[in-house]
Amino acid sequence: MDYAQESLKKHGEWRGKIEVISRVPAKNADDLSLAYTPGVAQPCLEIQKDPQKSFELTRRHNMCLVVTDGTAVLGLGDIGPEAAMPVMEGKCVLFKEFGNVDAFPLCIKSKDVDTIVDTISLISGSFGGVNLEDISAPRCFEIERKLKERCSIPIFHDDQHGTAVITLAGLMNACKVTGRALESVRVVVSGAGAAAIAITKLLMQAGVEDVVLCDRAGAIYVGRESNMNEVKNEMAQITNPRKVKGSLADALVDADVFIGVSAPGLVTTAMVESMAPNPIVFACANPTPEIFPDEAVKGGAAVVATGRSDFPNQINNVLAFPGIFRGTFDSRASDINDAMKLAAAKAIAGLVSDDQLSATHIVPEAFDERVAPAVAQAVSEAAVASGAARPQES
């Protein structure tokens, strides 16, 4: 199938992938009096006295806002907010189908951080959580930080944290396949954008001690002057304990793990050959990976993952975000913290049993119906244990 042409045809037929439907009847006068005036005044007055009642008396408890400014859409780049709408609608479909979370798309016509933050903050009272999507770095970091300061609901940038969760889940099982301990692996991450930063931070939270971040200028280290920014300077302080310098090829020598969230074709077979024996290669640039699986295997890779569905071991965010939000909403969590993300990763990894685990099966399939419930339960329990959950009326 030519997915591009068929999808274009289908979008013309669908005229949108989501719609708003009523959950209550409106067939007679009594129905109207209950759903609308005069009866609706009573829940309004209850929420006026206690705004938290909006989570019990409206759909807010299950409603996620999916937001973009259209600056980093898929592999298409800065295509604008209107052009991003098909992707945002698609994201809303995935929220509903995989996590039974209602989601509403919002594409903002601004690249100004404060304008975006103001817009989301001012309407946040209508939603139970916010999923930031396809916003370019480094602005996405500041937007997320400011929203967390201003909003009382969870803020989650899926390109960062969803990617980090599924990457960690895959790496946990890849380490089991190759007989490694997570705490002792040497990891090289190609990319210094939203996904790369979040992956690195979550890996370190999980116990990885040796991570080298690489961008276009090579390894990031304390004191590097070229092509740096505030976020890279921060990461230089907490990564690269061996003070590796030089190119990506230099950094990969004797590394156990390569994680790519960067650009096509950056890694060669010779570079994989220079890594430690039986290396792990996650080449997740889309649609063209940093190195194709057959070339990585030719270089000695023991486990290879990509972001594509036509190869084994797809690092697919749909395994993470629906269950994460389901568990967050179920526990009425005020935040999606590191403990909840780690719990999600462990739950995903744990769904691949020891007898199923292999070099070509380190994560569950995207349509595995066990995933979202398992992730939701783990996230909800972690929210309670970490103090992020809020009390709910029985």
Side-chain angles (χ1 to χ4, degrees):
M1 184 187 297
D2 184 334
Y3 286 109
Q5 289 304 311
E6 187 65 19
S7 180
L8 180 60
K9 176 184 173 184
K10 288 294 186 183
H11 276 76
E13 294 172 0
W14 293 329
R15 297 179 66 84
K17 296 190 283 286
I18 59 174
E19 64 179 345
V20 177
I21 60 172
S22 173
R23 289 173 47 83
V24 299
K27 304 298 184 184
N28 54 50
D30 284 342
D31 290 345
L32 293 180
S33 296
L34 291 171
Y36 199 52
T37 187
V40 75
Q42 195 56 44
C44 290
L45 292 171
E46 292 298 313
I47 295 170
Q48 180 190 27
K49 288 186 287 186
D50 179 9
Q52 293 302 306
K53 291 278 189 181
S54 61
F55 287 99
E56 301 160 28
L57 300 176
T58 74
R59 195 61 176 170
R60 184 183 183 190
H61 69 93
N62 199 58
M63 183 67 73
C64 178
L65 180 64
V66 178
V67 187
T68 190
D69 61 359
T71 56
V73 180
L74 301 178
L76 305 175
D78 185 354
I79 62 174
E82 291 89 351
M85 181 59 90
V87 178
M88 298 307 107
E89 285 189 344
K91 194 79 170 190
C92 293
V93 170
L94 300 181
F95 265 110
K96 189 64 176 179
E97 290 297 315
F98 289 92
N100 195 28
V101 171
D102 298 304
F104 189 88
L106 182 69
C107 300
I108 300 176
K109 295 181 73 169
S110 175
K111 297 180 183 180
D112 180 74
V113 168
D114 289 328
T115 299
I116 292 170
V117 170
D118 286 343
T119 301
I120 297 170
S121 176
L122 288 169
I123 63 174
S124 63
S126 301
F127 299 92
V130 175
N131 182 82
L132 302 173
E133 191 79 18
D134 293 349
I135 300 173
S136 61
R139 295 158 49 259
C140 60
F141 304 118
E142 188 177 4
I143 290 169
E144 181 187 31
R145 178 181 60 79
K146 288 188 172 184
L147 283 172
K148 286 191 171 190
E149 292 171 355
R150 289 179 54 176
C151 298
S152 61
I153 57 175
I155 309 296
F156 186 81
H157 185 197
D158 186 49
D159 299 316
Q160 290 186 64
H161 309 300
T163 306
V165 165
I166 182 58
T167 300
L168 174 57
L171 183 57
M172 287 174 171
N173 280 340
C175 283
K176 288 173 69 174
V177 169
T178 58
R180 290 176 164 93
L182 199 63
E183 296 77 13
S184 63
V185 292
R186 288 183 175 179
V187 180
V188 174
V189 177
S190 176
I197 300 296
I199 289 168
T200 299
K201 287 183 175 180
L202 194 63
L203 292 186
M204 296 176 73
Q205 284 289 328
V208 177
E209 297 178 358
D210 191 335
V211 185
V212 179
L213 265 173
C214 294
D215 64 4
R216 292 181 181 86
I220 293 172
Y221 55 88
V222 174
R224 200 184 87 173
E225 296 181 356
S226 65
N227 196 31
M228 296 293 283
N229 58 36
E230 182 180 347
V231 175
K232 292 179 187 179
N233 282 325
E234 173 199 336
M235 296 306 296
Q237 298 294 327
I238 61 174
T239 61
N240 199 351
R242 293 178 289 116
K243 297 179 173 56
V244 173
K245 298 181 182 180
S247 66
L248 174 62
D250 296 325
L252 278 174
V253 174
D254 294 330
D256 298 288
V257 179
F258 167 78
I259 297 173
V261 277
S262 49
L266 293 183
V267 176
T268 66
T269 298
M271 290 162 69
V272 177
E273 289 174 345
S274 77
M275 296 174 69
N278 299 315
I280 297 164
V281 174
F282 283 19
C284 299
N286 263 332
T288 306
E290 287 83 359
I291 183 171
F292 277 97
D294 58 339
E295 293 298 315
V297 170
K298 191 184 300 182
V303 179
V304 183
T306 71
R308 294 169 54 134
S309 60
D310 53 349
F311 294 113
N313 299 330
Q314 184 187 19
I315 302 303
N316 190 339
N317 287 23
V318 79
L319 293 169
F321 70 83
I324 289 173
F325 268 91
R326 179 74 274 145
T328 299
F329 284 173
D330 289 347
S331 62
R332 278 286 320 283
S334 59
D335 186 26
I336 300 175
N337 59 31
D338 284 342
M340 295 159 70
K341 289 178 249 178
L342 289 170
K346 290 175 183 176
I348 294 167
L351 288 173
V352 182
S353 64
D354 287 344
D355 61 333
Q356 295 173 320
L357 186 63
S358 71
T360 56
H361 189 188
I362 58 171
V363 290
E365 299 297 327
F367 293 97
D368 188 330
E369 294 181 355
R370 302 172 302 158
V371 175
V375 172
Q377 181 177 346
V379 166
S380 183
E381 291 173 355
V384 172
S386 65
R390 289 179 284 199
Q392 304 176 58
E393 288 192 6
S394 59

